[in-house]
Amino acid sequence: MLSGQILAQAARSSVPRAPIAAQASIRSYAAAAGQGSTTSTKPPVALFGIDGTYASALYTAAAKTSTLDSTSKALETLSGVFKKDPKLQGMLSAPMLTVSDKKQIVTELQKHTGGADK
């Protein structure tokens, strides 16, 4: 039995294997075709947590659609709205409001910030 295992191991080790560098050049299904190191949509600063996840996703989406400037301006405008009315943030996080009520509030904010297309 032991001699059979030794013989099998010797047979496996004598088979020629492809070099590792040749295997690394194969494109997997996870990467989109045509996207390589030429266009980087990776955020310049790594952020963590729920806020970081959403911020990274927004940056990536804006970079892919080439709308970084307009997205930045819309966020600055939205930040200004929240600074002008501090009760707005409390209103959006209120558990008494329904989802449809919050959607109406966000729709009104989009009208004021000019971000109805975002």
Side-chain angles (χ1 to χ4, degrees):
M1 174 117 152
L2 183 60
S3 63
Q5 290 176 347
I6 292 172
L7 190 64
Q9 184 179 7
R12 283 193 302 266
S13 64
S14 66
V15 175
R17 296 183 182 181
I20 293 175
Q23 293 175 356
S25 64
I26 298 172
R27 187 179 79 80
S28 67
Y29 288 106
Q35 291 213 356
S37 61
T38 57
T39 59
S40 177
T41 57
K42 189 175 182 180
V45 177
L47 301 173
F48 303 98
I50 294 175
D51 297 341
T53 302
Y54 283 109
S56 297
L58 178 63
Y59 178 87
T60 302
K64 284 184 179 180
T65 58
S66 301
T67 58
L68 282 172
D69 291 334
S70 62
T71 303
S72 174
K73 288 177 185 175
L75 285 175
E76 287 175 5
T77 305
L78 184 62
S79 175
V81 169
F82 277 111
K83 285 179 183 176
K84 285 181 186 175
D85 191 4
K87 293 181 183 178
L88 182 62
Q89 186 173 3
M91 207 165 62
L92 285 176
S93 61
M96 298 166 288
L97 291 177
T98 64
V99 174
S100 63
D101 291 338
K102 291 178 183 181
K103 284 182 181 180
Q104 289 176 352
I105 293 170
V106 170
T107 303
E108 286 298 318
L109 283 174
Q110 286 177 340
K111 288 178 186 175
H112 292 289
T113 60
D117 60 337
K118 308 272 184 285

